[in-house]
Amino acid sequence: MALLLPLSGSSAALGESLLQAAQLALFEAPDDNVALIVRDTGDSPMGAARAAQDAIHDGARLVLGPVFGGAVKAVAPAAQAAGVNVVAFSTDISVASPGVFVMGIVPSLQIQRVVGYAGRQGLHRVAALLPQSPYGQSVRDALQVATRRSNVQVVHIDFYDPRTVDASSAVGQTGQFMTSGGNVDALLVPETRDRLHGITGLFGNFGIDPSRVRLLGSTLWDDDPALISDPMLVGSWFAAPDPGAWQQFRTRFRAVYSSDPPRLATIAYDATLLAVVLASGSNADFSTTALTDPAGFSGVDGIFRFKPDGTVERGLAVLEVHDGSIEVRDPAPTSFDQELY
């Protein structure tokens, strides 16, 4: 089994933590049929392609990683030519294809989960503040899918330039829409920590009152220690894996490595556990049939299963932000017989 990670270059620290997570999985679920062939992708797609070719030449029958979408695209031709499946750690759904499975917690799943839940709670008119970026476009597309799955209407979207510090123009336009009679039940703000709090800090200037509109977020909120101290976010909802399992994983990781894992570490851990499961028994089976088992698999981030086109389905929880804590509002499904969204 190959593990392709950026162990040199600007993302070396991340790559080292993901390697540690994979090694922890092997330590906790040892299997004589699994051996890691670790290769450094460096910073470039070309480096990722060379790493994949080298690992496959050395006998890898399954590729775990790489992390970034460009690297996954570069790895795919060599892996597909050799008949070796890839379980990539990316969240870029555009790189998924038959034989190249995207394992990350992709934006579309997060948005459909939290918006679908909001619709079932009677919040039918949704607005959004989104970055003008491929990520923002993927969220917009996911919103459109959510409207078809549930009784939800997207009534307003404003985009801002993620390269600038100030998003006041977009926030102002959303506030004007809401205060001039635009009926909004929920406002989606799927942003990372610094941008998120910059945006919520502008709400009071433009008449956006979180006590009158439910704020919705994404798994990006899950890696934000300031989330529970932002008064504007009290009562807001976001979709993410179950926090209890993450906390247990973080405790075990810290005990072994004396450092906290990055949030992405669970993907490397769960992917390695997946390889152990597929390798168990007398004959390891890393085939597409095995990887696309309809019953799916389970890991730290909950249940997941791959579809033949390389995309992933996941069971996520809906979490609610309280003053000083985050609580599970709607638990994650524990099997694919349950409703995902």
Side-chain angles (χ1 to χ4, degrees):
M1 175 182 71
L3 182 61
L4 308 185
L5 296 171
L7 299 174
S8 62
S10 60
S11 298
L14 173 63
E16 181 62 29
S17 293
L18 299 187
L19 174 58
Q20 291 173 332
Q23 291 170 332
L24 181 62
L26 289 181
F27 174 76
E28 294 183 339
D31 191 301
D32 293 339
N33 288 345
V34 175
L36 281 179
I37 302 173
V38 181
R39 293 292 182 269
D40 177 21
T41 63
D43 274 337
S44 70
M46 185 178 298
R50 285 196 298 265
Q53 291 165 356
D54 184 52
I56 292 169
H57 179 267
D58 285 348
R61 296 173 55 195
L62 178 70
V63 170
L64 304 183
V67 177
F68 303 111
V72 179
K73 287 183 180 179
V75 163
Q80 290 171 329
V84 173
N85 284 316
V86 176
V87 176
F89 300 162
S90 174
T91 60
D92 183 355
I93 205 68
S94 71
V95 303
S97 63
V100 180
F101 301 95
V102 171
M103 190 168 174
I105 305 173
V106 299
S108 59
L109 302 179
Q110 307 162 30
I111 302 309
Q112 291 174 49
R113 175 67 167 109
V114 72
V115 172
Y117 177 77
R120 292 194 298 278
Q121 307 313 303
L123 307 180
H124 301 304
R125 295 174 60 82
V126 177
L129 280 163
L130 305 177
Q132 187 65 265
S133 66
Y135 169 74
Q137 296 299 322
S138 69
V139 171
R140 184 190 64 178
D141 294 343
L143 272 173
Q144 299 303 324
V145 173
T147 63
R148 296 193 293 269
R149 289 183 179 273
S150 55
N151 187 20
V152 172
Q153 179 184 3
V154 180
V155 296
H156 189 79
I157 297 178
D158 277 305
F159 289 93
Y160 51 86
D161 187 345
R163 298 169 297 178
T164 63
V165 175
D166 187 5
S168 57
S169 177
V171 178
Q173 291 171 16
T174 296
Q176 183 178 20
F177 175 81
M178 295 171 65
T179 57
S180 62
N183 182 22
V184 175
D185 299 321
L187 175 61
L188 177 67
V189 190
E191 261 296 359
T192 55
R193 61 179 76 174
D194 294 335
R195 175 70 67 181
L196 173 64
H197 300 296
I199 289 172
T200 60
L202 294 169
F203 282 174
N205 299 339
F206 298 107
I208 300 176
D209 184 357
S211 69
R212 302 182 65 180
V213 61
R214 182 78 63 176
L215 296 184
L216 306 178
S218 70
T219 304
L220 292 177
W221 289 17
D222 200 28
D223 193 28
D224 181 4
L227 196 69
I228 57 177
S229 59
D230 187 336
M232 288 291 180
L233 294 172
V234 172
S236 58
W237 299 337
F238 67 101
D242 179 88
W246 157 246
Q247 293 298 340
Q248 292 170 13
F249 170 79
R250 186 163 65 174
T251 298
R252 300 197 311 273
F253 188 100
R254 189 189 300 122
V256 174
Y257 300 115
S258 301
S259 63
D260 281 323
R263 190 61 186 85
L264 189 61
T266 53
I267 300 296
Y269 181 92
D270 286 353
T272 306
L273 284 186
L274 167 65
V276 170
V277 170
L278 297 179
S280 62
S282 57
N283 292 307
D285 185 0
F286 302 125
S287 67
T288 296
T289 299
L291 282 164
T292 57
D293 183 344
F297 308 93
S298 182
V300 174
D301 287 330
I303 61 170
F304 64 95
R305 67 180 176 188
F306 296 117
K307 297 193 286 187
D309 64 358
T311 58
V312 67
E313 292 183 313
R314 284 185 171 275
L316 300 175
V318 174
L319 309 182
E320 182 170 341
V321 180
H322 295 267
D323 185 9
S325 67
I326 296 173
E327 306 294 336
V328 175
R329 171 84 184 195
D330 190 46
T334 56
S335 82
F336 285 100
D337 294 329
Q338 298 172 264
E339 176 66 46
L340 294 182
Y341 307 113

